[in-house]
Amino acid sequence: PTQSPSTYVNGSVNNTVVDSQASDECFSSDMRVTLENGALVTMKDLKVGDEVLTSKNTFEKVIAFSHQIEHIDSKMITISTANGLSLSLTPGHFIPVNGYEMKPAADLRLGDLVELSDTNRSVIVDLAVEYKQGIYSPVTPSGKIVTNGIVTSCYTMHLGHEYARGIVRFLSWSSTSLPVWDWLTSRFCSAFSGQNVMQYFGSIYNK
């Protein structure tokens, strides 16, 4: 179901309606990414090892998923832009805006500028609260991924931006070393098969 009408405070999504730390930080299952061969695939069909667009003419391998759960409904912020694009992500998922800021979706405002896959920008003209199916959060070495034509981050509020970047760098390095990667995937197979990679490392970090 879609919550209507959308609720705003000074042009941003009302945090009394959307608690930015209450839900998992991901994209909905129907969001799409571009593969190196030009094909568009939904988050639910994306796999570890796929090469995805992360910025203009740049493709990177998906090295892990921090979440990959299909049969769950989650509260999402749906962004609509002036050029007709839309993007649904959970309130705690980061997205670069205005050329220099990294905001969780819950803090976005009407008028913020998102970066497009061709390096142009488009203004946010609507922010809506919706419930959508699936939670998916692919991880790339750069921590970026183009989703529905909009440059987004792989990082979330769950760990914090800088710590998440450290985890991504480690995962990126280990994926290039077969013995290390084999050990990691055998030791933490449930996490690396698509459940909670970032949460596992976060629990260690927070002890």
Side-chain angles (χ1 to χ4, degrees), residues 64-77:
F65 280 82
S66 61
H67 287 88
Q68 195 178 24
I69 306 172
E70 181 177 0
H71 299 294
I72 187 171
D73 290 333
S74 295
K75 188 176 287 185
M76 300 273 174
I77 308 298

Side-chain angles (χ1 to χ4, degrees), residues 17-205:
V17 176
V18 181
D19 181 350
S20 64
Q21 300 189 49
S23 53
D24 291 314
E25 294 89 356
C26 305
F27 303 101
S28 60
S29 61
D30 59 339
M31 296 297 98
R32 300 194 299 177
V33 298
T34 303
L35 301 184
E36 192 171 23
N37 63 7
L40 292 173
V41 297
T42 61
M43 286 290 173
K44 68 179 181 180
D45 295 322
L46 187 64
K47 300 176 179 65
V48 170
D50 284 345
E51 298 273 347
V52 296
L53 186 67
T54 57
S55 59
K56 185 177 182 180
N57 300 324
T58 301
F59 292 84
E60 297 178 25
K61 184 178 294 186
V62 174
I63 56 175
F65 280 82
S66 61
H67 287 88
Q68 195 178 24
I69 306 172
E70 181 177 0
H71 299 294
I72 187 171
D73 290 333
S74 295
K75 188 176 287 185
M76 300 273 174
I77 308 298
T78 296
I79 303 163
S80 298
T81 66
N83 68 333
L85 297 179
S86 65
L87 172 70
S88 296
L89 64 172
T90 45
H93 203 108
F94 283 110
I95 181 170
V97 294
N98 305 321
Y100 62 93
E101 294 181 88
M102 188 69 70
K103 287 186 178 182
D107 292 345
L108 293 173
R109 293 178 176 270
L110 301 180
D112 280 341
L113 293 168
V114 296
E115 183 180 342
L116 308 180
S117 58
D118 61 4
T119 72
N120 289 318
R121 295 174 186 166
S122 187
V123 64
I124 295 175
V125 296
D126 188 59
L127 293 161
V129 180
E130 300 183 291
Y131 285 88
K132 302 195 72 172
Q133 187 175 45
I135 52 173
Y136 293 82
S137 192
V139 180
T140 65
S142 69
K144 297 190 297 183
I145 187 167
V146 174
T147 309
N148 279 31
I150 297 172
V151 177
T152 63
S153 174
C154 297
Y155 307 140
T156 71
M157 292 183 67
H158 182 84
L159 298 179
H161 195 264
E162 290 305 314
Y163 180 62
R165 286 182 65 186
I167 292 178
V168 168
R169 284 194 293 267
F170 172 72
L171 290 175
S172 180
W173 168 80
S174 61
S175 68
T176 65
S177 174
L178 188 58
V180 174
W181 191 247
D182 285 346
W183 180 83
L184 281 171
T185 53
S186 62
R187 177 65 178 83
F188 308 117
C189 58
S190 63
F192 283 87
S193 64
Q195 294 299 316
N196 51 7
V197 178
M198 304 294 246
Q199 284 80 353
Y200 178 83
F201 284 101
S203 68
I204 298 173
Y205 174 75

